[in-house]
Amino acid sequence: MATFSVDFLGCKVSHVDAQALRERLLADGHAERAGAAEIAVINTGCVTHEALRKSRHAASRAARAHRRVYVTGCAANLSADAFAGLPENVVVVARSSEETPAFVAGAVGAIGCVQADARLDRVRAFVKVQDGCSFSCNFCVIPLVRGSSRSRRAEAVLAEVRRRVEQGHREVVLTGINLGCYRDREAGYDLARLVREAGAVPGLGRLRLSSIEVNHLDERLLTALRETPTVSRHLHVPLQSGDDGVLRAMARRYDSRTYLRRVALADGFNLTTDVIVGFPAEDERAFENTVRVVEESGATRVHVFPYSPRPGTVTAQADPVPKQVKRERSARLRAQSREASLRRWREKVGAEDVVLVDRPGRGYGDDYTPWLVDGRVGELVRVRGAAVTEEGVVAA
Ligand code: SF4
């Protein structure tokens, strides 16, 4: 038996992939140990240059404390060179997310005597339904490192949702790289049908979508979301830019009017979004358009990503917007996001919500509003808003 630890950097999909690695090693009879394990697995991210830098740093640090380190995930697939020069006990595994758990388990060596039931280390369970992307946005490295879109069988997804609920998770997040591309053609499922059936699993408290492209936000999906009582009233719909010239240069497949029209259909859902700041085609006027569209969309939180060129993408060679300009635009958009969040939170004072307590004293409401709340971690608690702080709504 070997002792191991699994860590991840990056997005929810990276988290799910790390969980699959962890479960595979536990199923093979190895023992999880935080800190002092013989084997460390680091599932990495590479969406930004910063993510790649952090991934290398994590591998380098782990190499000093563990006998062997397996570097898996997006950064490993993007560039084994990024890990060149690290000690010999670092093994870079450039394989797809489907192949990686078996490869690492094979390398560690199976014991095969323990059937562990690995509970997720987070309160909400992330269930991956789809991987890869066939959209080819000009700045994005994901199709290169994760391949084109493919979906899990609906039967397997629903079985995993049932298993997570049996393990005690009250909330399940359906996760994918491009969730709206979900299809199980053989069994006749799209995302709307999957939502209806996953949301009806007995014992499930709440179902969320991790993120959805605006192209997929249509009446069929929205009707399924509205008619499934467990579905949370929150949607994360990436905007990336509110300027049509920049959206074209990004090859984003929609314009700002389409974005606004589609998110308006999702009336009643709390909208959050992603924006890339300082894309090569973004001048002052284009940035002002983004500020305006964010405002008009009603988004209550914006994840701001200063643009960094990624190797192998169409825009890999271009980065003309000065760092200082990116910093100023990012700060302005973050301030706008902060104001929008506070406005949303203030509406909660005197109102009721159901909060999933995910850390001591903290949790998220149905529409993903952060709450400061007492209650047992992992439980859904009914609350009433009493006040607002910089960190969220205070429960009475
Ligand atoms: S939709 Fe575009 S940004 Fe999103 S993963 Fe696919 S290629 Fe990347």
Side-chain angles (χ1 to χ4, degrees):
M1 180 187 74
T3 56
F4 74 92
S5 65
V6 178
D7 289 303
F8 76 97
L9 292 97
C11 64
K12 294 184 179 87
V13 177
S14 174
H15 175 221
V16 177
D17 291 345
Q19 180 62 23
L21 277 154
R22 179 174 171 254
E23 291 191 342
R24 175 59 197 256
L25 291 173
L26 285 169
D28 280 2
H30 302 295
E32 194 166 22
R33 294 263 184 290
E38 297 158 86
I39 308 289
V41 183
I42 301 172
N43 203 62
T44 57
C46 69
V47 169
T48 60
H49 178 69
E50 182 62 7
L52 194 57
R53 194 190 61 75
K54 282 186 182 164
S55 296
R56 183 185 160 92
H57 182 67
S60 166
R61 213 179 35 212
R64 292 196 287 274
H66 302 271
R67 194 151 56 81
R68 219 174 320 149
V69 178
Y70 292 96
V71 178
T72 59
C74 284
N77 280 288
L78 176 69
S79 154
D81 289 355
F83 301 95
L86 290 180
E88 278 179 4
N89 61 338
V90 176
V91 181
V92 178
V93 182
R95 289 176 180 256
S96 70
S97 61
E98 291 91 344
E99 294 169 343
T100 297
F103 178 85
V104 172
V108 173
I111 304 298
C113 58
V114 178
Q115 277 302 314
D117 188 15
R119 197 176 191 281
L120 289 178
D121 50 1
R122 287 195 174 184
V123 168
R124 35 188 81 75
F126 294 94
V127 173
K128 185 159 82 172
V129 308
Q130 178 275 345
D131 202 343
C133 184
S134 307
F135 271 24
S136 309
C137 299
N138 282 343
F139 56 83
C140 183
V141 80
I142 294 292
L144 297 174
V145 295
R146 288 195 169 265
S148 53
S149 177
R150 65 253 180 219
S151 302
R152 285 175 74 194
R153 300 296 306 270
E155 197 185 322
V157 172
L158 295 169
E160 186 174 343
V161 173
R162 283 193 288 273
R163 186 158 65 93
R164 296 307 184 199
V165 171
E166 279 161 19
Q167 287 174 330
H169 297 284
R170 305 303 317 279
E171 181 174 309
V172 164
V173 185
L174 298 183
T175 304
I177 294 291
N178 194 336
L179 212 48
C181 290
Y182 181 80
R183 293 287 177 284
D184 178 350
R185 289 204 164 78
E186 226 171 283
Y189 280 78
D190 61 1
L191 185 61
R193 182 172 173 199
L194 193 70
V195 162
R196 287 183 189 276
E197 296 191 20
V201 166
L204 179 68
R206 183 178 285 163
L207 185 74
R208 283 186 198 284
L209 301 185
S210 60
S211 153
I212 187 88
E213 287 292 320
V214 76
N215 316 61
H216 297 131
L217 200 60
D218 57 17
E219 278 299 350
R220 179 177 160 78
L221 178 61
L222 282 165
T223 305
L225 294 170
R226 285 206 170 90
E227 290 180 357
T228 308
T230 50
V231 166
S232 88
R233 292 294 179 261
H234 166 237
L235 285 170
H236 186 80
V237 187
L239 169 65
Q240 308 303 15
S241 171
D243 181 79
D244 292 342
V246 174
L247 287 170
R248 265 195 306 279
M250 288 176 165
R252 283 292 290 170
R253 300 176 176 214
Y254 55 84
D255 60 17
S256 56
R257 280 178 55 183
T258 307
Y259 184 90
L260 289 171
R261 185 168 45 76
R262 292 238 176 174
V263 296
L265 295 174
D267 186 35
F269 287 82
N270 179 29
L271 175 72
T272 58
T273 193
D274 297 331
V275 168
I276 295 172
V277 164
F279 191 73
E282 186 187 81
D283 57 16
E284 272 306 322
R285 216 175 66 181
F287 178 67
E288 291 302 330
N289 283 335
T290 296
V291 170
R292 177 181 53 78
V293 172
V294 166
E295 187 65 36
E296 282 179 29
S297 71
T300 62
R301 176 135 195 240
V302 185
H303 298 267
V304 181
F305 298 93
Y307 172 74
S308 62
R310 312 304 301 123
T313 61
V314 173
T315 56
Q317 306 307 324
D319 191 15
V321 179
K323 270 200 180 114
Q324 182 57 26
V325 174
K326 284 182 194 167
R327 268 200 289 271
E328 285 163 12
R329 290 179 189 167
S330 299
R332 186 164 157 209
L333 216 45
R334 287 188 183 121
Q336 183 181 358
S337 167
R338 194 82 203 131
E339 273 309 304
S341 295
L342 285 168
R343 273 202 302 276
R344 176 89 187 178
W345 300 352
R346 283 184 200 117
E347 290 169 12
K348 306 279 172 187
V349 175
E352 285 203 343
D353 201 346
V354 177
V355 173
L356 177 69
V357 183
D358 60 3
R359 286 163 289 162
R362 303 288 174 115
Y364 284 90
D366 181 58
D367 67 352
Y368 215 54
T369 291
W371 283 78
L372 307 176
V373 62
D374 288 330
R376 243 190 39 222
V377 173
E379 289 304 315
L380 287 162
V381 293
R382 187 163 285 282
V383 294
R384 180 181 288 276
V388 168
T389 72
E390 283 293 306
E391 293 169 87
V393 185
V394 184

